[in-house]
Amino acid sequence: MTSSSLESPSMNVEAVLHMKEGLGENSYAQNSSHQKKNMDTVKDLVIDSATGVYASLMPERFTMADLGCSSGANALGMVENIIRGIAEVCRTSSTSQLPPEFSVLLNDLPTNDFNTIFCTFPDFISKIKADNPTVFLSGVPGSFYGRLFPTGSLHFVCSFNSLHWLSQVPPGLYDEANLPVNKGKMFISSSSPRAVPAAYLRQFQRDFGLFLKSRSAEMVEGGRMVMSMQSRETEVYTDKKTTLLWELLSESLASLVSQGLVEQAKVDTYNVPFYPPCIRDIEDEVRKEGSFRLDCARKYDCNTSTGGDAKEAARVVSMAVRAVQESMLNYHFGPDIMDMLFHKYAELITESMEKEDIKSVQLAVVLIKL
């Protein structure tokens, strides 16, 4: 068997990656409490930025976009906060003006479960009816690493738990003989050769540069963008807060290999399209693109452990990771191993949590369109 025959077909991230659809036990809608916690951490920053844009521009129609909205309650939760914040600005102004019309544009990849979001729209409207807003909701399928909206149409853009996902698995993870250089690992690890983090950084620079260029064309002057994503605590690529959960998932796959349930070659050729940027990575790309001013960048420690029963906390984390990554794992390995894989993953997370808390780092960034 040749090395090329062992290599899996290149994963088309735009066609494959999506959060687990529906409202079932394994769905993203039922397993996104950690993402909700991360969004709550930056809620005040988001509301202040959105109301600041409105107060400075005073548009009759306020157009906002949520990029990487996913599905479930989180998709409209922050929108509700923004609308209430702007309504309060209007109510307390010297002229007691009526709030603007709101155009809410929810974006995610075409395979996203938009229907689950739309089914929650009546409940969403009932929650904000006291503010009497007029809200127009649209779903916009497509990659945010490219144009999505008309020129100069957006006042406010937000993105949560999304920009750490790349548009593709980075090229450069195979050597001249077409053999994987990051064997046994799906992401950057302490054993990865230098070529691996270099490949991931190049892909991030390309993607984030396209993201900024696209949003620059779509946003009005003075518009603001708030982004929250997984990050690294330092510029070191192997920061434990970034890599631990990936290492445990790799160990879970290795366990299935030892049982003869998965081929080692399949594990060696599985790489994730994920890159958690440090603050410097963001600063460099914003400076190079040149259309935005970096208003602020803040890091937040997020404790994945709940402080209670480690086994239950590990189950919650395992289910959350499954809801996000099952589409990619299923594409590469097939559906038959999923239950066994995540059972082992929960066991390893439990062991880790019994020793110490599992933490991650979130980076919140506010950009102002020049």
Side-chain angles (χ1 to χ4, degrees):
M1 183 178 290
T2 66
S3 61
S4 60
S5 66
L6 291 176
E7 183 180 342
S8 65
S10 178
M11 178 169 57
N12 181 343
V13 172
E14 187 169 346
V16 173
L17 175 60
H18 61 87
M19 307 303 101
K20 183 66 174 177
E21 68 280 355
L23 297 170
E25 181 184 2
N26 293 330
S27 69
Y28 180 82
Q30 300 295 334
N31 295 282
S32 51
S33 59
H34 288 293
Q35 289 87 341
K36 173 65 163 57
K37 188 191 305 183
N38 293 340
M39 291 172 70
D40 287 344
T41 301
V42 299
K43 181 173 74 171
D44 290 344
L45 186 64
V46 173
I47 295 172
D48 289 347
S49 297
T51 54
V53 173
Y54 175 74
S56 63
L57 301 179
M58 301 295 283
E60 293 182 359
R61 182 186 68 255
F62 188 83
T63 302
M64 64 178 116
D66 182 349
L67 307 182
C69 65
S70 192
S71 59
N74 292 351
L76 289 173
M78 194 65 78
V79 172
E80 177 185 341
N81 293 325
I82 292 169
I83 291 175
R84 284 180 166 168
I86 292 176
E88 180 64 17
V89 169
C90 295
R91 193 162 42 244
T92 57
S93 69
S94 57
T95 57
S96 296
Q97 64 201 59
L98 292 173
E101 293 183 342
F102 292 94
S103 176
V104 178
L105 307 171
L106 301 181
N107 156 260
D108 212 312
L109 295 174
T111 48
N112 184 56
D113 182 12
F114 285 100
N115 283 338
T116 296
I117 305 174
F118 297 150
C119 288
T120 66
F121 189 61
D123 289 338
F124 163 76
I125 290 297
S126 69
K127 289 179 182 178
I128 59 173
K129 65 181 179 181
D131 296 308
N132 197 30
T134 301
V135 181
F136 300 94
L137 179 70
S138 302
V140 183
S143 171
F144 49 52
Y145 293 123
R147 287 292 302 273
L148 291 165
F149 311 107
T151 300
S153 62
L154 303 178
H155 299 101
F156 184 73
V157 174
C158 56
S159 179
F160 309 104
N161 305 301
S162 296
L163 277 163
H164 43 250
W165 294 110
L166 301 171
S167 68
Q168 63 178 30
V169 173
L173 299 180
Y174 290 82
D175 62 18
E176 294 179 355
N178 201 30
L179 294 172
V181 299
N182 201 30
K183 290 183 178 181
K185 304 295 182 181
M186 63 183 69
F187 181 57
I188 302 167
S189 76
S190 58
S191 63
S192 299
R194 281 190 225 171
V196 174
Y200 274 94
L201 175 60
R202 283 194 303 271
Q203 187 63 47
F204 169 78
Q205 291 170 332
R206 174 188 175 277
D207 284 347
F208 197 62
L210 280 173
F211 177 87
L212 293 175
K213 183 178 180 181
S214 300
R215 303 297 82 77
S216 172
E218 296 163 352
M219 294 180 69
V220 301
E221 183 178 336
R224 297 190 189 188
M225 178 158 55
V226 181
M227 303 166 289
S228 175
M229 67 206 82
Q230 289 189 45
S231 178
R232 305 196 305 280
E233 193 162 41
T234 68
E235 294 182 22
V236 176
Y237 290 106
T238 52
D239 175 3
K240 186 176 182 180
K241 291 180 181 179
T242 301
T243 60
L244 178 60
L245 288 176
W246 294 109
E247 293 283 357
L248 296 180
L249 191 55
S250 292
E251 289 180 29
S252 302
L253 283 169
S255 175
L256 298 190
V257 170
S258 69
Q259 298 174 57
L261 300 172
V262 176
E263 295 180 16
Q264 182 64 52
K266 293 291 285 184
V267 174
D268 291 342
T269 56
Y270 182 67
N271 299 287
V272 291
F274 174 87
Y275 181 84
C278 64
I279 289 178
R280 182 176 176 180
D281 292 335
I282 297 290
E283 291 173 337
D284 288 348
E285 294 311 306
V286 170
R287 184 176 61 253
K288 281 193 287 185
E289 197 280 328
S291 297
F292 294 91
R293 174 170 66 84
L294 180 60
D295 186 53
C296 77
R298 302 175 188 171
K299 287 188 297 186
Y300 302 88
D301 259 355
C302 302
N303 195 342
T304 304
S305 306
T306 60
D309 179 58
K311 186 174 182 180
E312 173 58 20
R315 185 195 68 80
V316 171
V317 173
S318 176
M319 294 287 283
V321 171
R322 179 172 184 169
V324 172
Q325 296 193 40
E326 185 170 355
S327 61
M328 295 183 294
L329 289 161
N330 186 57
Y331 173 84
H332 189 85
F333 296 102
D336 294 343
I337 69 163
M338 291 302 124
D339 288 343
M340 292 180 287
L341 174 63
F342 282 98
H343 177 75
K344 181 62 179 179
Y345 190 47
E347 287 182 351
L348 294 178
I349 296 173
T350 300
E351 292 174 10
S352 183
M353 284 184 169
E354 286 174 343
K355 298 173 186 174
E356 59 182 336
D357 288 345
I358 294 180
K359 295 182 178 181
S360 63
V361 178
Q362 288 287 123
L363 174 62
V365 177
V366 179
L367 302 181
I368 300 177
K369 173 66 166 53
L370 300 175

